[in-house]
Amino acid sequence: MSPYLLGLRLSGRRVLVVGGGRVAQRRVPALLDAGALVTIVSTSVTHALDDLIASGRVTWEARPYQVGDVDGAWLVQACTDDRAVNTAIAAEAEAKRIWCVRADDKDASAAWTPASGRVGEIGVAITAGGDPQRAAGIRDAVVEALRDGTVDARRSRTKPVGVALVGGGPGDPGLITVRGRQLLAQADVVIADRLAPQALLDELAPDVELIDAAKIPYGRYLAQERINELLVEHAKQGKFVVRLKGGDPFVFGRGGEEMLACAREGIPVVVVPGITSPVAVPGAAGVPVTHRGVSQEFHVISVHVPPGDPASTVNWPNLAHSAGTLVLMMAVERIAVIAETLIREGRSPETPVMVVQDGTLPTQRALYATLTDVAERVTAAGIRPPAIVIVGDVVKVGQEVEMVRAERVP
């Protein structure tokens, strides 16, 4: 007969665990998480259980099981390594109509402990016919699918409201955060940037409204003011809106403006940070932005306006004299004037430079250069945005790693 699955609410209720070994060690934390008042009866306990006892979270009676121990318990876990003792515990519990789980014999057990997991407010419990290994494997698959948003119920009594500003990461769809993917799966409306992971958009449910908020350089352009209006309009209609961005919402992502626009209209906003490309793309290309003995700092600079432009707020002389790594965004089309400015302000013309296009994507490619020849080499290679420019001696670290790997190839 199939078991009748039931979620026990054990808060404030006594649970007896007989045995202090590894099985008890696995089960006690889950009972405590449910708020149970746990009593362990055993002549000895594991170090992990001893820590729980020392903290006062568990009561320990250091002796063998005795008839009468189950009295007052709502649930009993028979976890000893003695089959006869487990049989006696189960028999007493059965006679007193108290549910008992036997760790050693699923067929003789009145109840089974499922393989359980939790993602947010969703609890998962798998029995798999009493096979614990199979149940754990299925549990893990379901929990992982819930975590990454592959499985989720878009309709629920506790549907998210308002707006979520979600950082989609540097491009690879696998680099969005778990929380970001969960919220994306629950969205009614998605307003997506050009640099947001496009593969994730193909996974949206058919009834999700997708709005393209691309800002293509020298091309089509959705004004930021209109994006703010769309966030407010849809949220006021009771829809859950996800603003999906590349990288992180607050790293040159204008997320602060969008959050303020929503706040002025009383719309709740949740911010989900993303993996930002100034760190992720160099890393994906094998270049650390900091390295012991080489660089103790790094600077992230937006070059949407070139050096010398009245609208630029970048202190290029300070950057030129810094020994730190420079990570330049939106710099490819202005690389000549950037290199010229850094050299003129004091950086060595031989400073290593790496330019990475389409970082973290299958189309990723990179070139090495120096400040002297980087503009020429970028033009010759046909490098186009989106690309990240890394300036500094950490580029040599990446080259050294490549050489070491090459030497080890048979």
Side-chain angles (χ1 to χ4, degrees):
M1 300 287 287
S2 299
Y4 181 81
L5 298 183
L6 187 68
L8 296 181
R9 304 181 66 184
L10 294 173
S11 180
R13 293 183 167 93
R14 180 174 181 265
V15 174
L16 174 68
V17 177
V18 185
R22 288 181 296 173
V23 175
Q25 179 179 306
R26 289 198 305 268
R27 295 188 179 179
V28 167
L31 294 168
L32 293 175
D33 287 344
L37 304 178
V38 177
T39 298
I40 296 176
V41 173
S42 179
T43 55
S44 62
V45 295
T46 66
H47 292 304
L49 289 174
D50 194 34
D51 288 342
L52 293 175
I53 293 163
S55 69
R57 300 184 65 193
V58 174
T59 300
W60 178 29
E61 297 187 14
R63 57 172 176 78
Y65 159 76
Q66 299 173 358
V67 174
D69 281 341
V70 305
D71 291 346
W74 292 72
L75 176 67
V76 175
Q77 296 270 353
C79 303
T80 78
D81 56 6
D82 188 321
R83 182 176 180 82
V85 172
N86 289 340
T87 300
I89 296 167
E92 182 186 1
E94 182 77 14
K96 296 177 178 178
R97 296 187 178 183
I98 300 171
W99 290 107
C100 178
V101 179
R102 285 189 61 166
D104 62 333
D105 190 337
K106 69 180 182 68
D107 295 321
S109 183
W112 295 337
T113 297
S116 60
R118 181 164 293 278
V119 180
E121 75 283 359
I122 301 173
V124 175
I126 307 293
T127 58
D131 183 337
Q133 291 186 347
R134 185 183 181 202
I138 296 171
R139 182 269 319 277
D140 291 344
V142 174
V143 167
E144 181 63 26
L146 286 168
R147 282 178 176 160
D148 66 19
T150 304
V151 173
D152 199 1
R154 296 188 60 241
R155 294 178 177 83
S156 68
R157 295 179 181 178
T158 57
K159 175 186 170 183
V161 296
V163 171
L165 305 180
V166 175
D172 181 341
L175 294 178
I176 189 174
T177 63
V178 171
R179 181 62 172 155
R181 192 152 188 175
Q182 288 172 347
L183 293 178
L184 189 61
Q186 295 177 292
D188 299 309
V189 179
V190 175
I191 302 177
D193 276 353
R194 176 176 66 97
L195 297 180
Q198 299 301 302
L200 296 177
L201 303 180
D202 292 336
E203 300 175 3
L204 297 175
D207 60 335
V208 176
E209 182 177 354
L210 177 60
I211 299 173
D212 183 0
K215 295 183 177 73
I216 299 177
Y218 313 109
R220 58 192 174 88
Y221 182 91
L222 185 62
Q224 185 62 50
E225 292 74 14
R226 181 54 184 154
I227 294 173
N228 296 348
E229 291 171 358
L230 288 168
L231 293 172
V232 171
E233 289 173 9
H234 287 288
K236 283 189 171 181
Q237 294 170 12
K239 298 175 181 178
F240 177 52
V241 185
V242 168
R243 176 73 170 103
L244 183 63
K245 298 170 173 288
D248 182 274
F250 291 165
V251 180
F252 305 124
R254 305 186 73 169
E257 298 173 45
E258 294 165 354
M259 186 168 62
L260 283 169
C262 292
R264 292 186 183 109
E265 298 294 331
I267 294 169
V269 177
V270 59
V271 178
V272 181
I275 299 174
T276 186
S277 58
V279 175
V281 170
V287 174
V289 293
T290 63
H291 190 76
R292 186 165 62 92
V294 177
S295 177
Q296 298 178 0
E297 58 184 306
F298 68 97
H299 307 265
V300 180
I301 304 103
S302 169
V303 200
H304 64 283
V305 291
D309 191 293
S312 175
T313 62
V314 178
N315 191 326
W316 289 100
N318 279 1
L319 292 176
H321 288 95
S322 169
T325 305
L326 307 184
V327 183
L328 309 175
M329 304 176 69
M330 295 172 275
V332 168
E333 295 175 338
R334 303 169 185 86
I335 191 63
V337 66
I338 292 168
E340 177 186 338
T341 300
L342 289 172
I343 293 172
R344 184 179 67 248
E345 297 293 346
R347 275 263 179 166
S348 168
E350 300 306 311
T351 300
V353 180
M354 174 186 260
V355 183
V356 185
Q357 177 180 322
D358 294 340
T360 76
L361 296 173
T363 52
Q364 174 179 308
R365 61 174 177 148
L367 67 82
Y368 291 100
T370 65
L371 282 177
T372 300
D373 62 3
V374 64
E376 177 184 346
R377 299 199 64 185
V378 163
T379 300
I383 298 291
R384 293 288 182 268
I388 297 290
V389 179
I390 307 114
V391 179
D393 288 339
V394 291
V395 172
K396 294 180 181 178
V397 177
Q399 292 175 306
E400 182 181 354
V401 170
E402 285 191 0
M403 288 189 293
V404 171
R405 287 175 174 167
E407 291 172 356
R408 294 181 63 86
V409 175

